[in-house]
Structures are given as C-alpha cells and as structure tokens.
Amino acid sequence: MVVCGGGEALAHRLAAELRGVYGEQVVLVVPPAGGGERSPSPTGRARTTALLGRITAVVSRTAGNGNGSGTGGGSGGGEAEGPVPRTVEAAEIGDDALIDAGVPQAGALALVHDDDETNIRAALAARRLNPRLRLVIRLYNRKLGQHLEELLDQAAAVAGLDTTDATVTVLSDADTAAPALAATAVAGTSKVVHADGLLLRAVERTPPEPGDVAPRGLATLALLSATANDPAGAEGSDESGGGAGPRLLPDDDAVAAAPGRGALVLEAVSYSGSAPPPGFLAGRGVPLRQLFSRRLRWSVAGFAAAVLGLAIASIVTAGGSPLHATYLTLLDLFTINDPATEGPMSRQILQLLAGLIGLLLLPILFAAVLEALGTFRTASSLRRPPRGLSGHVVLLGLGKIGTRVLARLRELDIPVVCVEADPEARGISLARRLRVPTVIGDVTEEGVLEAAKIHRAHALLAVTSADTINLEAALYARSVRPDLRVALRLYDDAFATAVYRTLRAAHPGALTRSRSVSTLAAPAFAGAMMGRQILGALPVERSVLLFAALDVSLQPQLTGRTVAEVFRPGAWRVVALERSSGAEPGLEWDLDPQYVLRPQDRVVLAATRQGLAELLARRPLPARP
C-alpha cells in the first residue's frame, strides 16, 4: 500500500491504520524535511500555553481536584501497533517518485494531498504506470470526483482489465467527517452517515427505567461505555481513557445482559425531510412575508378599509348596486372622476373624502416600491441573527469542513448561526443561498460571539483550522454560558485529549467533545484501499463503525448462508440487503433472519475496522485481544 501526502495528518493516520489494523506493508511518500509538515508557530505555541494556563486556573477554582485529567492507558480505538512504514521523500509526485515508492508493483495507492490538482495528476500518472492499481483519491470537488471515477474506470475497462481490482474511489475527508461533527454538536439528534444518496441514522438511547420496555430499532449497533458520565473519562475525544469502552455490534444475549447501559440503535435509514415547492422569489431565497414589512401591510389594510367604508356610505346615501358604488369610489380615489358639482351634498362630501384618501395612497405605493427593492437587494446578502433566536448551533468556521457541516445541519433542519472571519470564505456562498444567519468577524474579538447569540445557543461547534482559535472560542463561550455544549476540532490528539478532560472536569454538567477530522476520515480511506465500497463511518465514543456495500458473490463467507448465520458479534452485521430477485430495486432494511444470501445479492454491512480487515484479509491476522 502506497500513501502519498506525507505533509498532511491524514496521510500519517492512514498509514498507521493500514499497518496497525490491516497488517499491510505501507510506503509513505512525504515531502523533504521542512517541506510541508504542519507545526505551530512560536506565536501559536505561546498562545496555546496561555490558553492552557487559563484552563488550569479554571479547573483549580471550579473542580478543586488538581488537573482532573484522569488516568488510564490504551492506544485509541483498539489499534495494534506496527512498525513504522517505509518512507520515500519527494518534493513533487511524478513518475520518478511513484516508481521509487513501488507503485508499479503496489496493490493500492492513496493520494491524500490537500490540493485536488496534485492528486489528479498523480492519479493519472499512477494509472499509466500500473493499470491494475486500486486508487483512492482525496478530492473536495464532488462533481469533479464523479467524472474522474468514470474516466479512470473506463480506461481500465478499455484495456481489458478486471475492474474489480482496478477500482477508483474518490473520497473527501470533509464529507466523511461532517456527519460525525454535526451529530457531535447536537447530542439530541441522530448520528448520520450519508453517501451515494443513502442516509443511515443512529440514535443514542438511555437505559430504560425498571419495568419499562425499551423501544426496538432495526439493529443495535453498540452498547455505550459504562463510564459515559465520568467527567475524567475520554469517551468524547479521539484517545482512549480508563474504564470499559463501548461494545460494538452486540448480539441479543449481550444486550439483555447489560440492562443498565445505553445503546446506539439504528432507527431510521431514509431522509424524511422534504424540500418546499419552489415559488415566487424562491431562486433568490426571499420568503413572500419578508417582501413587505408589517407596518406597510397594516397601512394597506387600513387603506382598503377606508375604501370599503366610502363604498358603503355611497350605497347608503345615493343608492345603487355595490359594484357601481365601489367603481365610483375608486374613480374619486384616483381623481379621474368628474367633479360632483351638480350632485347632492352627501355625494360632494364623499368625493372630497375619497380625494383625501387618494393623496395618502401615494406614499404607501412609494414605500412599497422602496421596501421591495430593499428586499431584493438583501436577498443575496448574508442574514443577521434574528432577535428572538435561541436553541441554535453556533458554527465557527466556513472552510472546507465548516461548509460540509453546515450542509449536514441544514439537512437535519437544525437552526444554525455561522461565524467566519473571511468574507470570501468557501462556505459564505452556501450560507447566503441557504439564508443562514452569518456573522463576519474575528471570533477572538469581543462582541462577535455575542452577535451570534451564544448566550442563548444550544451548542458551539468550532471547526476552524486553528486549534488556538477553536480553544479560545470554547473558553469564552463557556465563560458566557457554563452549561453550553461544545465540540472542538483539534489537530493534535494528545492536546485534544488534555483539553477535553480538563474542560469536562471544570464543567462536569456540560457536554464537551474534541474531534480530529483526519482521525474520523482515516478508517474510510483505509477501507477503500482494501477494495471495499465504504459508505461512511460512524463514531461510537472512541471507536468507529464502518458501513460498507459488498457484493455477496465476492465474499465466500457470506454466500449460501442466512442473515442470522452471517452475523458475527463484535465484527460485522448485515443491516441492509438488495435482493437479486426483488420486485423493486433498492435496499431492504427490515430483514428476514432466515433469508439465504445469493451470489447475485448485495448487502450493506456495519462492521468494526478489525472485523472488515478479517472479513476480506488476504492473509490471516493475529487474534484480537
């Protein structure tokens, strides 16, 4: 296995995943020393030290028990340690670098540079050097990724190769991690995995009260940690802590034997939301009720009532039909009727009153035109947070990750307020199109988080690329509201764990989570390099569950066995099935345990990393502890 992109954290975690979990031989292509490794600047290190000093002071005042970091070992997610991968230094990923890394003889190549163009050039060169190579490419542009997959797959098919091995998988670390980050910020909503039009939803269920019957879902994915409420535990970070961890993919006996533990249950598997039908101004994103202000609407209503009153008075004094009386009133109103010099006194008085009301019509029409123009002008601008907004999620950062997280939150109909320092950031256009309230400003400056209504928010999700900014925003938000739910994106795992434990000890009543995008995305990239179609990854405390779509014909362990026989507790479980003889195409989620899998069927598996490695390993792996 060859991994290119050594200057990125994802490359190093991906190499460790392939070596430690799957037992593969890995070659890591990295830039020359000092040519792209991410390291904090002296200013950033000083700022981080000052922030940690503030955290320690808060803990000493609030917790009163030292640093509150807790103890306990573990390697994080049950990964096995392996030798350091062989390293090849290359300033540019060209033919020479790929040959030195052994791409002509490799089984798979992962291109995980942060630059899409670099990954595409390297993919084309690698396919030319090894037509049977399995490619996993990191691209942020999803539409371009689809075209690239089709192009490279067609090239392999034209060459007469077995496309089962020479597959191309385009993944995005932002798309892989966004559902987990969105679900982390909103603890009360479902965790989701969304890929290829498929939406998997999982919910955390607390232990039922004695005598109550717990509602059943489609499948129990995990039993949660027995120490989930321990402030010093590390179930909210990417590193493991002390205590019993979650039990993944338990059977019915294990669930019955653990009545006091919460569970992660697969509850629904389709998107229930529906987009509103397009209407007037829908393309500009302006609701009709916002086209005119309430004051203007009341003015129009008063004007209509005055016209109606004049018409009724005309009927009473002069007689005639209601339609004719209304017609005469409108003519008088617009001053296009003949003067009633020869008419009775009542008719003359009504005509004068109608002319006076007609004068009032001019400023109303003028105000309506100005408000309509102002509404159209602001339709393409960013909204400000409404005055009465509460219970929302404050999303800090609209870069690559923040843009994907914003889209996930809006798919779940969760109110969001965005904070971004750069008015030209990638996600500003999405926020404008979705009409999401956005505050432009540096979050480290006073008043920015207040403008985002942080004191009435449900959660803070800080996903900028700077650890110190995320941490400083979390500390300030906690000073404004101590019980605020906080989810941080932090680069360094050890630093993230220390911050998580300290914040949990300082504020035991509030939910805190620290997440690393590369840690969440690495299992999906590693699974794709092993030749599986990975639909997504679902974090379960410190562990990860992978969802993969497999053809039964390619898996001898599945062919000819029932769904119940295929289930292996703690390793893998069939959660969906697409039958070869089904009347309607699509996945079935309410499975018959006695259904015998046929070679033409296709299944969706929920599996642990070790389980998928053992299911499709090309050589025996050591027994799991």
Side-chain angles (χ1 to χ4, degrees):
M1 302 291 176
V2 181
V3 178
C4 293
E8 302 294 331
L10 178 59
H12 294 279
R13 291 191 172 97
L14 176 56
E17 184 87 11
L18 292 170
R19 183 59 188 169
V21 176
Y22 296 97
E24 294 289 338
Q25 296 181 1
V26 182
V27 177
L28 182 61
V29 181
V30 300
E37 293 290 342
R38 171 175 174 170
S39 60
S41 63
T43 304
R45 285 193 294 268
R47 194 173 188 179
T48 302
T49 304
L51 290 174
L52 285 177
R54 290 170 55 188
I55 297 177
T56 306
V58 171
V59 172
S60 61
R61 293 194 307 266
T62 308
N65 60 351
N67 56 15
S69 61
T71 60
S75 57
E79 295 184 9
E81 294 293 337
V84 177
R86 184 170 72 89
T87 302
V88 175
E89 291 189 354
E92 184 178 351
I93 307 300
D95 290 353
D96 295 338
L98 295 175
I99 293 174
D100 292 342
V103 167
Q105 298 81 29
L109 168 66
L111 300 165
V112 294
H113 290 88
D114 193 44
D115 180 41
D116 288 359
E117 182 180 354
T118 300
N119 292 331
I120 293 175
R121 289 184 177 182
L124 296 176
R127 176 62 84 205
R128 185 175 64 253
L129 293 175
N130 186 352
R132 298 184 180 275
L133 184 69
R134 184 180 300 119
L135 290 172
V136 178
I137 309 170
R138 171 189 180 184
L139 290 182
Y140 182 82
N141 191 327
R142 286 181 283 188
K143 185 174 295 186
L144 177 61
Q146 294 175 358
H147 295 322
L148 184 63
E149 279 188 0
E150 296 174 359
L151 174 64
L152 295 177
D153 286 341
Q154 289 176 1
V158 170
L161 302 176
D162 185 5
T163 55
T164 302
D165 292 330
T167 58
V168 179
T169 304
V170 176
L171 296 175
S172 168
D173 55 340
D175 283 332
T176 305
L181 289 170
T184 301
V186 190
T189 60
S190 301
K191 296 181 179 180
V192 296
V193 175
H194 191 190
D196 297 333
L198 180 67
L199 182 65
L200 305 176
R201 301 177 57 185
V203 294
E204 293 185 7
R205 288 183 177 168
T206 57
E209 298 294 334
D212 295 341
V213 178
R216 294 183 59 85
L218 297 178
T220 300
L221 299 178
L223 290 174
L224 300 180
S225 172
T227 60
N229 295 324
D230 180 13
E235 74 280 356
S237 67
D238 295 320
E239 294 289 328
S240 61
R247 185 167 184 177
L248 303 181
L249 301 176
D251 54 14
D252 294 338
D253 295 337
V255 174
R261 297 175 65 175
L264 189 70
V265 180
L266 190 66
E267 188 179 59
V269 291
S270 61
Y271 179 54
S272 59
S274 59
F280 180 61
L281 298 180
R284 299 296 300 264
V286 182
L288 270 177
R289 68 175 183 271
Q290 295 181 6
L291 187 59
F292 302 112
S293 66
R294 177 177 298 181
R295 181 180 301 176
L296 181 61
R297 293 197 300 267
W298 276 110
S299 300
V300 174
F303 180 80
V307 173
L308 180 62
L310 288 176
I312 294 175
S314 177
I315 295 174
V316 172
T317 57
S321 65
L323 182 61
H324 182 69
T326 304
Y327 174 70
L328 291 178
T329 302
L330 291 176
L331 289 179
D332 295 335
L333 191 72
F334 297 128
T335 63
I336 58 177
N337 197 7
D338 293 333
T341 55
E342 303 297 334
M345 181 65 64
S346 59
R347 171 73 181 121
Q348 294 176 357
I349 293 175
L350 289 177
Q351 192 175 54
L352 290 176
L353 291 176
L356 179 62
I357 295 176
L359 293 177
L360 299 178
L361 178 62
L362 183 60
I364 292 178
L365 294 177
F366 187 65
V369 171
L370 291 182
E371 288 197 3
L373 290 177
T375 303
F376 277 108
R377 183 188 304 173
T378 58
S380 59
S381 63
L382 295 172
R383 290 184 58 196
R384 299 290 297 176
R387 289 184 178 180
L389 183 64
S390 63
H392 57 285
V393 174
V394 177
L395 177 61
L396 175 58
L398 286 177
K400 288 184 177 181
I401 305 300
T403 303
R404 295 290 191 251
V405 173
L406 174 60
R408 301 301 178 190
L409 291 173
R410 293 307 301 137
E411 286 178 2
L412 296 174
D413 292 329
I414 297 170
V416 186
V417 173
C418 300
V419 179
E420 174 57 50
D422 183 9
E424 302 296 330
R426 186 187 298 266
I428 292 296
S429 59
L430 177 63
R432 182 182 294 111
R433 179 166 56 87
L434 297 179
R435 300 291 294 163
V436 175
T438 304
V439 177
I440 302 296
D442 188 354
V443 73
T444 60
E445 297 179 356
E446 187 175 356
V448 174
L449 282 179
E450 284 82 354
K453 304 294 189 295
I454 192 65
H455 57 286
R456 293 201 298 264
H458 173 78
L460 170 67
L461 181 54
V463 294
T464 70
S465 58
D467 290 358
T468 53
I469 293 180
N470 294 337
L471 179 56
E472 186 168 355
L475 290 174
Y476 182 77
R478 277 287 169 79
S479 66
V480 175
R481 184 175 175 182
D483 61 341
L484 182 70
R485 291 173 176 172
V486 174
L488 301 174
R489 172 196 175 189
L490 297 178
Y491 178 83
D492 184 77
D493 288 337
F495 178 58
T497 303
V499 169
Y500 163 74
R501 290 178 173 176
T502 310
L503 287 177
R504 278 294 301 270
H507 302 279
L511 185 142
T512 305
R513 293 291 184 263
S514 62
R515 290 286 181 256
S516 169
V517 173
S518 56
T519 300
L520 294 174
F525 279 80
M529 291 187 71
M530 297 298 294
R532 289 172 294 281
Q533 179 60 42
I534 300 296
L535 299 179
L538 179 69
V540 184
E541 297 181 4
R542 301 180 302 273
S543 304
V544 175
L545 276 178
L546 298 178
F547 290 84
L550 303 177
D551 293 328
V552 176
S553 59
L554 303 178
Q555 308 303 326
Q557 301 93 325
L558 307 181
T559 306
R561 304 179 66 186
T562 65
V563 173
E565 292 173 347
V566 166
F567 175 38
R568 179 178 169 184
W572 60 76
R573 177 173 190 165
V574 177
V575 296
L577 168 67
E578 184 178 5
R579 304 191 187 190
S580 57
S581 58
E584 296 181 359
L587 295 171
E588 300 178 14
W589 300 94
D590 190 7
L591 302 179
D592 180 10
Q594 302 304 320
Y595 175 78
V596 179
L597 298 177
R598 303 175 182 178
Q600 297 81 10
D601 294 339
R602 187 168 176 262
V603 297
V604 174
L605 286 178
T608 62
R609 292 179 288 184
Q610 277 282 13
L612 272 179
E614 295 176 4
L615 180 64
L616 298 179
R618 291 171 291 183
R619 53 182 176 276
L621 293 177
R624 293 178 298 157

